[in-house]
């Protein structure tokens, strides 16, 4: 009995040790998250914010928002194979993407730019934030520059382009039944399609394979989330700014672009902005009110003059 009482202190010591271990792990998790948020926070988007240099290789993660000009950048990476290794989530499952990123962030094997295109299938930006944090920290730990970006488009222009493509140009593949009219477009359009894409990676039209997303699950601070995790958000209407950024950070010759071919080789009727009257325009603006707020907010933040390049020429 006396022998047992001699070790009465072991139980509380063990409890304290376990508590300390848990606390250290929680602190580490908090540090990892804080590193991502603080290093890319909205307050850093000033003239002091610096783009990385990938001229000797590195990693690009491109969130390819459909119908915003991203296909030209995809072709740039696919066809300049001497400069890029291109992987797209459209044809690679997330397990495969993870394997590529684990390899790319662990060791810089050569001077090629590793280009990951997030496009086509979920998960999208909202569900990849934890992975983006881990990829960035692992890359920076191994002195591998990493650049994460996306491109948005003026909401009505984006809606028109998507409807023309998904419901008119390739309707037989998407099974969109809408007629080539304003009423047809309105019948298929979903609210805030670009916000929806960043949250769920689903496109705009109410097509059979697009799911039934609840926009209540798309955070109201999506703008702040994008500012935290993106090195750059470009805009279709200022496409030359994105090309200036890419020319500034990538190896010489990397930004050679290629004409995008119409794979359907088919003429089709289009809806364009000249057919929208004031009533329809106002209705579309109301339908996409969150997209407009996101678009204008990000344009205020991502102005090229607020950034500088980390380049030694």
């Amino acid at each position: 009995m006396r022998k047992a009482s001699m070790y009465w202190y072991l139980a509380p010591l063990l409890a304290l040790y376990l508590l300390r271990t848990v606390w250290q792990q929680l602190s580490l998790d908090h540090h990892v998250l804080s590193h991502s948020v603080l290093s890319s926070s909205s307050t850093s988007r000033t003239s002091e914010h610096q783009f990385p240099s990938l001229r000797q290789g590195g990693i690009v993660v491109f969130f390819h928002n459909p119908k915003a000009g991203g296909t030209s950048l995809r072709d740039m990476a696919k066809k300049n194979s001497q400069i890029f290794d291109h992987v797209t989530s459209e044809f690679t499952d997330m397990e495969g993407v993870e394997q590529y990123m684990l390899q790319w962030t662990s060791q810089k094997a050569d001077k090629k730019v590793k280009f990951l295109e997030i496009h086509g299938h979920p998960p999208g930006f909202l569900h990849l934030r934890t992975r983006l944090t881990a990829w960035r920290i692992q890359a920076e730990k191994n002195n591998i520059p990493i650049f994460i970006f996306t491109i948005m488009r003026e909401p009505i222009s984006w809606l028109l382009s998507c409807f023309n493509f998904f419901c008119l140009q390739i309707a037989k593949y998407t099974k969109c039944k809408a007629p080539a009219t304003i009423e047809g477009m309105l019948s298929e359009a979903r609210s805030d399609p670009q916000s929806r894409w960043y949250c769920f990676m689903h496109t705009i039209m109410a097509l059979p394979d697009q799911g039934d997303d609840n926009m209540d699950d798309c955070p109201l601070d999506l703008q702040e989330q994008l500012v935290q995790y993106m090195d750059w958000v470009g805009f279709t209407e200022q496409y030359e700014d994105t090309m200036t950024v890419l020319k500034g950070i990538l190896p010489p010759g990397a930004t050679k672009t290629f004409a995008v071919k119409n794979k359907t080789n088919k003429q089709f009727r289009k809806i364009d902005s000249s057919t929208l009257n004031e009533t329809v325009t106002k209705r579309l603006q109301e339908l996409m009110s969150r997209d407009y707020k996101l678009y204008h907010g990000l344009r205020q933040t991502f102005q090229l003059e607020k950034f500088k390049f980390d380049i030694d020429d």
Side-chain angles (χ1 to χ4, degrees):
M1 187 73 176
R2 179 184 296 179
K3 186 175 181 180
S5 64
M6 290 174 60
Y7 300 100
W8 62 269
Y9 57 86
L10 290 180
L13 282 177
L14 180 60
L16 285 171
Y17 173 78
L18 291 174
L19 183 61
R20 180 173 177 268
T21 302
V22 171
W23 175 256
Q24 287 177 332
Q25 184 60 49
L26 288 173
S27 298
L28 177 61
D29 291 344
H30 175 75
H31 172 74
V32 167
L33 182 59
S34 298
H35 181 280
S36 171
V37 172
L38 294 176
S39 66
S40 305
S41 68
S42 57
T43 57
S44 70
R45 303 303 178 184
T46 68
S47 58
E48 298 303 314
H49 184 74
Q50 190 164 278
F51 291 125
S53 172
L54 283 75
R55 295 203 168 183
Q56 299 299 314
I59 301 167
V60 171
V61 179
F62 173 44
F63 283 84
H64 180 177
N65 176 13
K67 311 311 295 177
T71 301
S72 295
L73 299 181
R74 167 196 280 181
D75 287 350
M76 174 192 80
K78 284 178 64 176
K79 296 180 180 180
N80 289 338
S81 57
Q82 292 183 334
I83 296 175
F84 294 100
D85 285 332
H86 172 263
V87 171
T88 175
S89 65
E90 188 170 15
F91 305 116
T92 307
D93 61 21
M94 276 312 302
E95 183 178 351
V97 167
E98 288 275 27
Q99 290 175 354
Y100 278 111
M101 289 302 294
L102 177 62
Q103 177 185 345
W104 292 349
T105 58
S106 297
Q107 185 176 5
K108 192 174 179 182
D110 51 44
K111 292 186 177 182
K112 278 192 172 184
V113 175
K114 315 304 181 183
F115 193 104
L116 172 62
E117 175 195 14
I118 305 295
H119 185 68
H121 303 293
F125 163 74
L126 191 65
H127 298 288
L128 285 177
R129 289 171 298 173
T130 302
R131 289 186 175 96
L132 292 176
T133 299
W135 295 342
R136 188 184 292 280
I137 291 175
Q138 179 71 6
E140 291 177 353
K141 176 183 174 183
N142 292 302
N143 296 314
I144 300 171
I146 184 168
F147 179 75
I148 303 172
F149 80 111
T150 190
I151 299 177
M152 281 196 72
R153 186 170 181 171
E154 191 280 328
I156 288 180
S157 175
W158 195 84
L159 180 69
L160 289 167
S161 181
C162 278
F163 178 75
N164 287 332
F165 181 70
F166 289 108
C167 283
L168 301 184
Q169 185 175 351
I170 61 168
K172 71 175 183 178
Y173 303 109
T174 62
K175 298 180 173 57
C176 181
K177 306 294 185 182
T181 62
I182 297 297
E183 292 74 18
M185 182 180 70
L186 290 171
S187 71
E188 294 295 322
R190 311 173 92 178
S191 64
D192 302 304
Q194 291 187 85
S195 298
R196 190 182 298 274
W197 188 83
Y198 286 110
C199 286
F200 312 111
M201 196 175 270
H202 287 160
T203 49
I204 58 161
M205 299 298 154
L207 303 176
D209 64 342
Q210 291 305 304
D212 185 21
D213 303 321
N214 183 352
M215 283 300 287
D216 290 340
D217 296 330
C218 189
L220 294 176
D221 68 342
L222 179 60
Q223 176 185 328
E224 287 76 11
Q225 298 282 337
L226 286 165
V227 169
Q228 287 174 2
Y229 287 89
M230 297 289 165
D231 294 296
W232 175 251
V233 176
F235 305 94
T236 309
E237 295 72 30
Q238 293 178 302
Y239 202 76
E240 65 279 2
D241 284 356
T242 294
M243 296 310 297
T244 297
V245 171
L246 295 178
K247 287 177 183 177
I249 67 172
L250 295 174
T255 54
K256 177 182 178 183
T257 56
F258 301 83
V260 179
K261 297 180 179 179
N262 178 359
K263 296 180 180 180
T264 61
N265 294 316
K266 176 184 176 182
Q267 296 296 320
F268 60 97
R269 183 181 173 186
K270 294 182 180 180
I271 305 297
D272 63 63
S273 58
S274 65
T275 64
L276 305 180
N277 60 35
E278 185 176 346
T279 300
V280 171
T281 299
K282 184 176 180 181
R283 182 175 172 184
L284 291 175
Q285 289 171 342
E286 291 173 351
L287 182 71
M288 298 182 289
S289 59
R290 282 184 64 176
D291 276 2
Y292 269 104
K293 183 178 180 180
L294 180 66
Y295 175 79
H296 290 301
L298 289 173
R299 283 195 65 166
Q300 287 293 317
T301 301
F302 288 91
Q303 298 177 23
L304 190 56
E305 60 269 21
K306 294 183 178 181
F307 297 78
K308 64 180 181 179
F309 297 89
D310 180 18
I311 301 294
D312 285 326
D313 286 325

